[in-house]
């Protein structure tokens, strides 16, 4: 198990099991051992964000409508959830992981890559009996002690194999794929276990009678390139356990979005636009916090008959200024054909995203806006997000409960 | 099991020491509850102040979530989870 580990990379992928539900169970002993569903109360509508393993045993899964979850698992405890709680738990996870290596890439609140290549000798060197699996067990125990939640860990020489390994034996699993064993580990798995193989790609591969990663790996690379274009080469490499991507401590997100479902479908234009303005304000604030700018902005409206309209536009110049972004959102909404139907769900999305300050402009108002944004951010740091808002967004006070960190929207589990 | 979100202001007898906050007793619905266990705690930032959340037990199976706001030194009973 420890052979060949001294010079090759050692990457761990750690995934918290049923994170939101586990955090709730960890915090409240009455919930432990019971089916817990985070997404909304029993009387609310919406979808399941996370189901505990007890609820999953009844057939409940993420994305299932709450009404259906109620039918198949009536004994479950239904919770709205609290995003700030999950963020605080994620912060604890981060502190634990940083004890083992400074190279940690958080891909979401509950899953992360750790590059243990440099630091493993501190924990697994000669004279110490601990191998990578023992190290992973130690991390699991540290998380369990701090938060009472379980994590699954995959260990391998690269990110893709570590990621697949972490999902291999859930919950609380540890799977180590030693160097040189990557292909053998991947070979029997179904093709859609590979990241990037969705429904469409899987259907294409099924037509070619390719069902397992091993069969995919045995195909000539050129054939895959013909089938899938530039992605074909990547797919072939992943199927063969080749992935040179480094673990990055700072990653550029592909997109950032803020969305909400209304408690009741609405045709009230004032409420719809105020909600979009509030979401844009939160989106811009997040972009500035991360040192990012949006190159494009999108808006999403879903009507009560579940038809969805989504429009995006490229901005003349990248920005993280809420006023500019909302101006574009208003123009996009005006382009969406009006229907005599109530609206159920709205959202805004920044995509693509780039690092802040890549391209300075000589003759524009950027410095003035930057000063304004800096002042707004300073006020919010001191007094909370709600201390300063565009006047129109205050309309939402009639509709939502407020605390200093913002409106408590329909899905508190995802309200950020 | 009964689970409810309340966010009601309550009175709490608290022990502050070396940056730690230890809730000891609270009054809710005219009854005084003596806190026997703190199952877990976490904090969230709200501007310059913090909200400290405590999951506490009072000897029985019931579980209470108390929130202390360091901005105005107020306590709330955020959630209750009652057995039976």
């Amino acid at each position: 198990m420890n052979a060949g580990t001294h010079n090759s990379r050692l990457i761990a992928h750690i995934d918290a099991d049923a994170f939101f539900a586990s955090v709730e169970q960890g915090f409240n002993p009455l919930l432990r051992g019971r089916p817990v569903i985070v997404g909304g109360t029993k009387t609310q509508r919406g979808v399941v964000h996370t189901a505990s393993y007890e609820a999953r045993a009844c057939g409940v899964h993420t994305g299932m409508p709450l009404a259906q979850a109620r039918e198949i698992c009536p004994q479950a405890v239904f919770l709205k959830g609290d995003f700030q709680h999950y963020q605080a738990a994620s912060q604890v996870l981060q502190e634990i992981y940083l004890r083992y290596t400074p190279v940690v890439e958080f891909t979401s609140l509950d899953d992360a890559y750790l590059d243990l290549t440099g630091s493993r000798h501190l924990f697994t060197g000669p004279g110490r009996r601990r191998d990578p699996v023992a190290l992973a067990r130690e991390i699991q125990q540290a998380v369990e002690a701090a938060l009472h939640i379980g994590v699954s860990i995959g260990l391998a020489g690269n990110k893709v194999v570590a990621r697949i390994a972490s999902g291999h034996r859930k919950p609380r699993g540890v799977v180590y794929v030693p160097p040189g064993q990557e292909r053998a580990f991947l070979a029997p798995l179904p093709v859609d276990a590979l990241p990037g193989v969705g429904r469409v790609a899987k259907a294409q591969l099924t037509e070619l009678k390719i069902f397992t990663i091993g069969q995919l790996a045995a195909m000539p690379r050129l054939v895959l390139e013909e089938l899938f274009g530039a992605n074909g080469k990547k797919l072939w490499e992943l199927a063969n356990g080749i992935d040179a991507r480094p673990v990055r401590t700072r990653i550029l997100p592909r997109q950032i979005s803020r969305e909400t479902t209304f408690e009741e479908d609405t045709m009230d234009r004032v409420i719809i636009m105020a909600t979009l303005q509030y979401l844009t304000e939160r989106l811009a604030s997040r972009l500035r916090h991360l040192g990012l700018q949006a190159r494009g902005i999108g808006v999403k409206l879903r009507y009560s008959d579940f038809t969805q309209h989504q429009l995006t536009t490229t901005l003349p110049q990248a920005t993280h200024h809420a006023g500019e972004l909302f101006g574009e959102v208003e123009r996009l909404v005006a382009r969406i054909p009006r229907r005599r139907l109530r609206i159920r769900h709205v959202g805004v999305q920044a995509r693509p995203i780039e690092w802040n300050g890549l391209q300075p402009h000589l003759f524009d108002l950027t410095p003035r806006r930057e000063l304004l944004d800096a002042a707004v951010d300073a006020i919010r740091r001191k007094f909370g997000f709600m201390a300063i808002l565009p006047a129109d967004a205050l309309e939402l006070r009639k509709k939502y409960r407020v605390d200093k960190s913002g409106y408590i929207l329909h899905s508190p589990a995802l309200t950020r | 099991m009964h689970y409810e979100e309340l966010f009601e202001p309550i009175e709490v007898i608290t022990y502050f020491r070396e940056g730690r906050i230890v809730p000891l007793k609270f009054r809710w619905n005219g009854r005084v509850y003596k806190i026997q266990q703190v199952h877990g705690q976490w904090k969230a930032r709200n501007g310059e102040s913090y909200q400290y959340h405590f999951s506490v037990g009072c000897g029985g199976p019931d579980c209470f979530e108390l929130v202390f706001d360091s901005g105005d030194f107020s306590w709330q009973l955020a959630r209750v989870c009652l057995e039976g």
Side-chain angles (χ1 to χ4, degrees):
Chain A
M1 187 149 288
N2 57 0
T5 58
H6 300 297
N7 299 315
S8 50
R9 290 205 302 164
L10 180 64
I11 310 293
H13 179 255
I14 309 183
D15 189 12
D17 304 321
F19 184 56
F20 291 1
S22 296
V23 170
E24 297 289 353
Q25 288 176 315
F27 191 59
N28 180 347
L30 263 186
L31 300 177
R32 293 178 200 160
R34 292 176 194 260
V36 173
I37 293 170
V38 178
T41 60
K42 256 192 169 168
T43 52
Q44 270 186 315
R45 60 192 200 160
V47 294
V48 175
H49 295 318
T50 312
S52 69
Y53 279 87
E54 296 84 356
R56 289 179 195 197
C58 301
V60 179
H61 58 79
T62 301
M64 175 184 275
L66 284 173
Q68 194 183 343
R70 275 192 298 272
E71 259 175 44
I72 63 173
C73 193
Q75 73 278 26
V77 182
F78 287 78
L79 305 176
K80 286 184 186 172
D82 183 340
F83 185 77
Q84 285 192 315
H85 190 179
Y86 309 141
Q87 219 169 15
S90 178
Q91 186 64 38
V92 174
L93 290 180
Q94 195 169 350
E95 284 162 16
I96 292 170
Y97 299 163
L98 286 169
R99 282 190 230 151
Y100 292 90
T101 171
V103 191
V104 179
E105 176 180 325
F106 262 84
T107 44
S108 69
L109 278 187
D110 62 334
D111 78 293
Y113 291 101
L114 279 66
D115 189 339
L116 298 163
T117 311
S119 62
R120 69 179 149 179
H121 301 292
L122 299 171
F123 307 101
T124 62
R128 298 230 190 171
R129 292 175 55 207
R130 286 183 286 180
D131 57 40
V133 173
L135 175 57
R137 291 277 177 221
E138 187 181 308
I139 296 173
Q140 276 185 325
Q141 282 161 12
V143 172
E144 179 81 43
L147 295 169
H148 305 286
I149 70 171
V151 293
S152 294
I153 304 181
L155 295 151
N158 62 51
K159 284 168 88 172
V160 71
V161 180
R163 182 176 195 100
I164 294 170
S166 71
H168 204 59
R169 206 173 293 149
K170 274 177 159 282
R172 291 178 162 82
V174 172
V175 175
Y176 174 46
V177 183
Q181 300 290 309
E182 293 87 356
R183 286 190 65 173
F185 168 73
L186 294 174
L189 302 177
V191 279
D192 56 355
L194 279 180
V197 179
R199 230 172 0 160
V200 177
K202 188 184 175 187
Q204 275 177 285
L205 291 167
T206 304
E207 273 193 16
L208 296 168
K209 305 272 185 270
I210 291 170
F211 305 103
T212 66
I213 297 177
Q215 291 170 323
L216 187 64
M219 281 186 79
R221 201 179 73 186
L222 286 175
V223 174
L224 285 179
E225 281 182 28
E226 286 224 344
L227 273 173
F228 298 103
N231 282 337
K233 179 177 173 242
K234 198 175 158 198
L235 204 56
W236 183 87
E237 286 178 347
L238 295 182
N240 280 281
I242 301 165
D243 180 12
R245 288 175 301 157
V247 175
R248 295 180 196 279
T249 50
R250 197 168 177 232
I251 52 171
L252 183 66
R254 273 195 213 161
Q255 64 170 54
I256 297 179
S257 59
R258 292 292 179 264
E259 303 185 10
T260 191
T261 304
F262 294 112
E263 290 280 352
E264 289 172 345
D265 297 353
T266 181
M267 284 180 101
D268 186 338
R269 211 70 189 167
V270 174
I271 291 294
I272 293 164
M273 292 315 292
T275 306
L276 282 169
Q277 187 169 25
Y278 176 69
L279 294 174
T280 309
E281 196 71 32
R282 298 221 67 128
L283 179 73
S285 172
R286 185 69 186 157
L287 287 168
R288 293 197 296 273
H289 178 74
L290 296 173
L292 303 169
Q293 297 190 112
R295 261 269 159 218
I297 184 89
V299 64
K300 185 200 280 186
L301 299 185
R302 192 179 300 145
Y303 284 95
S304 51
D305 64 354
F306 284 88
T307 53
Q308 186 168 299
H309 294 267
Q310 194 162 0
L311 283 181
T312 55
T313 186
T314 303
L315 300 165
Q317 66 183 61
T319 182
H320 50 206
H321 182 68
E324 272 180 78
L325 291 170
F326 186 64
E328 289 298 335
V329 167
E330 283 183 306
R331 278 187 277 281
L332 288 172
V333 171
R335 279 170 49 198
I336 294 176
R338 287 198 184 198
R339 302 175 63 201
R340 295 181 65 188
L341 270 179
R342 292 172 189 271
I343 287 177
R344 176 187 173 85
H345 181 97
V346 292
V348 288
Q349 178 191 67
R351 182 183 180 153
I353 287 169
E354 63 182 38
W355 296 116
N356 193 13
L358 273 187
Q359 195 176 348
H361 294 267
L362 276 178
F363 307 107
D364 67 9
L365 296 170
T366 307
R368 194 177 151 84
R369 286 196 192 114
E370 295 287 331
L371 282 174
L372 176 63
D373 286 336
V376 167
D377 291 340
I379 290 168
R380 284 179 177 156
R381 264 196 305 279
K382 187 155 185 166
F383 300 106
F385 189 86
M386 293 302 282
I388 183 161
L389 268 189
D392 288 346
L394 292 172
E395 281 295 320
L396 298 178
R397 277 178 187 272
K398 296 174 195 163
K399 234 178 143 51
Y400 297 109
R401 195 159 63 78
V402 184
D403 69 16
K404 283 188 205 164
S405 62
Y407 291 115
I408 315 287
L409 298 180
H410 180 64
S411 308
L414 302 177
T415 297
R416 37 190 132 173
Chain B
M1 196 185 74
H2 178 71
Y3 187 96
E4 202 176 341
E5 297 206 337
L6 299 170
F7 289 94
E8 273 179 30
I10 51 165
E11 289 176 358
V12 181
I13 296 178
T14 317
Y15 174 59
F16 292 89
R17 188 172 174 184
E18 293 169 358
R20 284 198 321 131
I21 302 166
V22 185
L24 301 172
K25 285 181 185 177
F26 65 94
R27 189 203 304 269
W28 178 51
N29 276 349
R31 190 181 146 191
V32 175
Y33 293 80
K34 187 174 179 199
I35 295 165
Q36 310 259 337
Q37 311 96 28
V38 176
H39 303 303
Q41 63 186 78
W42 60 278
K43 68 174 179 181
R45 195 177 173 142
N46 271 331
E48 269 191 341
S49 62
Y50 285 93
Q51 282 194 332
Y52 296 82
H53 296 245
F54 300 86
S55 167
V56 301
C58 301
D62 302 340
C63 196
F64 304 87
E65 183 178 333
L66 311 179
V67 184
F68 174 69
D69 191 321
S70 71
D72 55 10
F73 270 56
S74 66
W75 280 95
Q76 284 187 318
L77 177 60
R79 298 173 179 95
V80 292
C81 191
L82 308 175
E83 184 67 287

